Amino acid sequence: MNPARLTIAGFALAAALGTGLLMLPEAARDGRGTDVVTALFTAVSALCVTGLVVVDTAGFWSGFGQVVVLVLIQVGGFGIMALASLLGVLVARRLGLRGQLAAAAETKTLTPGDVRLILVGVARTSLVVEAATAVLLAARFATGYGEPLPRALWLGVFHSVSAFNNAGFALWGDSLTRFATDPWICLPITAAVVVGGLGFPVLFELRRHLRRPSRWSLHTKLTLLGSAVLLVAGPVMVWLLEWRNPGTLGSLSVPGKLLAGFFQGVMPRTAGFNSVDIAQMNSGTWLGTDVLMFIGGGSAGTAGGIKVTTFAVLLLLIVSEVRGDEDATAFGRTLPRGLHRQALTVALLGVGAVVASTMALLTTTRFSLDQVLYEVVSAFATVGLSTGITAQLPTGGQLLLVALMFLGRTGTITLATALALRSRPRLYQLPAERAIVG
């Protein structure tokens, strides 16, 4: 089967199984089961590691239902990293010897001989990061909040898995707002989110060449630089726009403002946790968060969006055009023309999906443009942050968000793979003619 179709089929099957399990009477606290739309929305949100919900995760789902959600998050997170990396391997195989050598030179990891290494590496990375985060969180819940040990361990495991996989599911109705000023909760979760959002190829390369940056691939350098810039820009934006807002940071102490602003500035990397009330944010903060969510995190990781490297390539293209350079370059390397087209295609199709979905929801709901756009971008970029309108959307609107979450999670992977697999040389060249631009 075509790799792109295989990815979609695998996620669709997992979503169907998850929906069926969540519809069982044992999955709901009242023992009466749930309707298909609620089960489908929750299953897809968990599998696509988004975090948008139409019911309170802790209040509506039983222990069995919460375990189903947790398993879907883990399967979705592992599947995304493993499948995205393995699709890179399949692409390299289809490109022939010259293409394989080129792919190996560019990525230094994704070669046909790395299949087993990739799967083992993804599993090991997930286990180590999630276990370390779970221990820290469980210890804090037990010692700082008096939770019984079994409950503390469950809270630690659930939120560590949710954080590393950038899912954003929490076992409190207000997400993590009650822990807004607690660094022992917020910082481990932030670290897990950042590590999961870098992408496995970057983590794999850092493990091998951490102290030798000269051996890092262009992909790793672009991802790390882009992520560092966004990790600074996000919190700075929140601090500047929300510092005096009494509904968010205004009522906190200075250390509390710094911590909550930092946490909330990192979460648009597609994690979806919130330590302040999103509905009380200023419109400017919503718009800035829309941009951060749309960009997302690293490729072949648990983050969503169009990806940091896609945005970096587009930015480099603009810089080269403004300078009048014939080629776009970065870190002493020239970006291939095919990469230009792929980045433009992924970004513009993402913009098209967001615009079309926003228009559809605006015509069928009473919510403002700010609210609808925020919700749509959050679903497409698989973030999970919400202004609080998800549960109030009509059934058609919720199904639209389901489609967006599925598209946002599988679309960028499958599209990039399809473009690479269809790339073939043309034996002739048509006459060139310029059109007027601008």
Side-chain angles (χ1 to χ4, degrees):
M1 185 182 290
N2 180 281
R5 294 178 182 175
L6 180 62
T7 302
I8 294 175
F11 273 84
L13 178 60
L17 291 175
T19 301
L21 290 173
L22 290 177
M23 290 181 67
L24 295 175
E26 294 81 4
R29 284 194 178 276
D30 60 10
R32 295 183 298 179
T34 185
D35 61 279
V36 64
V37 174
T38 300
L40 175 65
F41 192 100
T42 304
V44 172
S45 182
L47 184 68
C48 296
V49 291
T50 304
L52 287 175
V53 294
V54 291
V55 293
D56 179 22
T57 303
F60 185 86
W61 302 111
S62 65
F64 172 76
Q66 293 174 24
V67 170
V68 171
V69 170
L70 182 66
V71 171
L72 287 172
I73 292 172
Q74 187 67 79
V75 169
F78 178 83
I80 291 157
M81 297 178 75
L83 282 176
S85 301
L86 289 176
L87 286 176
V89 175
L90 295 176
V91 169
R93 281 179 170 172
R94 289 284 297 274
L95 292 178
L97 179 58
R98 180 176 298 179
Q100 291 182 41
L101 294 175
E106 290 175 4
T107 65
K108 295 184 175 66
T109 54
L110 303 182
T111 62
D114 284 338
V115 176
R116 180 179 177 277
L117 190 60
I118 288 170
L119 292 176
V120 173
V122 170
R124 183 181 300 165
T125 301
S126 300
L127 180 62
V128 170
V129 176
E130 290 172 359
T133 307
V135 169
L136 292 174
L137 293 178
R140 182 57 177 169
F141 287 132
T143 60
Y145 296 93
E147 295 285 357
L149 185 58
R151 169 71 175 171
L153 289 173
W154 169 242
L155 292 174
V157 169
F158 188 95
H159 291 92
S160 67
V161 172
S162 184
F164 177 72
N165 292 287
N166 281 215
F169 277 86
L171 293 180
W172 294 277
D174 57 357
S175 190
L176 300 180
T177 55
R178 65 189 63 193
F179 308 112
T181 58
D182 188 345
W184 295 102
I185 298 294
C186 293
L187 293 183
I189 287 179
T190 301
V193 166
V194 172
V195 172
L198 287 177
F200 176 72
V202 173
L203 297 177
F204 184 84
E205 196 164 318
L206 289 177
R207 189 180 67 180
R208 295 198 301 178
H209 307 300
L210 180 61
R211 298 183 180 181
R212 291 179 288 179
S214 60
R215 302 192 64 178
W216 293 352
S217 66
L218 176 61
H219 170 76
T220 295
K221 292 176 181 177
L222 287 177
T223 300
L224 292 177
L225 177 60
S227 298
V229 171
L230 294 178
L231 287 176
V232 173
V236 169
M237 178 199 70
V238 175
W239 288 328
L240 290 176
L241 298 178
E242 298 294 327
W243 191 266
R244 299 183 181 278
N245 184 350
T248 54
L249 302 183
S251 60
L252 303 177
S253 63
V254 172
K257 291 179 180 179
L258 292 175
L259 178 61
F262 174 74
F263 183 86
Q264 206 55 61
V266 173
M267 290 305 110
R269 286 182 58 83
T270 76
F273 293 109
N274 60 282
S275 61
V276 297
D277 188 356
I278 301 295
Q280 299 298 319
M281 282 184 166
N282 297 314
S283 297
T285 311
W286 282 354
L287 182 59
T289 304
D290 289 340
V291 175
L292 293 174
M293 292 192 295
F294 188 76
I295 295 173
S299 300
T302 58
I306 63 171
K307 304 299 187 293
V308 170
T309 45
T310 302
F311 180 75
V313 169
L314 295 176
L315 188 61
L316 290 170
L317 289 177
I318 294 174
V319 172
S320 65
E321 190 65 30
V322 171
R323 289 179 175 178
D325 297 335
E326 191 171 325
D327 297 308
T329 61
F331 299 104
R333 296 288 187 270
T334 298
L335 303 181
R337 296 298 175 90
L339 186 62
H340 303 179
R341 296 192 298 270
Q342 291 177 23
L344 285 169
T345 301
V346 169
L348 290 179
L349 287 180
V351 170
V354 168
V355 170
S357 301
T358 301
M359 293 176 63
L361 287 181
L362 284 174
T363 59
T364 57
T365 65
R366 55 181 176 77
F367 300 110
S368 67
L369 173 61
D370 289 341
Q371 293 173 305
V372 170
L373 180 62
Y374 195 97
E375 215 76 11
V376 166
V377 175
S378 180
F380 172 77
T382 66
V383 179
L385 294 174
S386 174
T387 60
I389 68 172
T390 309
Q392 303 175 48
L393 293 174
T395 300
Q398 293 179 359
L399 292 177
L400 177 59
L401 293 186
V402 168
L404 274 176
M405 290 187 288
F406 195 85
L407 173 65
R409 177 47 62 198
T410 63
T412 53
I413 299 173
T414 55
L415 177 59
T417 304
L419 290 173
L421 290 176
R422 289 177 60 86
S423 178
R424 53 185 180 270
R426 179 179 289 176
L427 301 179
Y428 60 91
Q429 186 173 10
L430 297 173
E433 183 177 352
R434 291 185 61 85
I436 299 175
V437 177

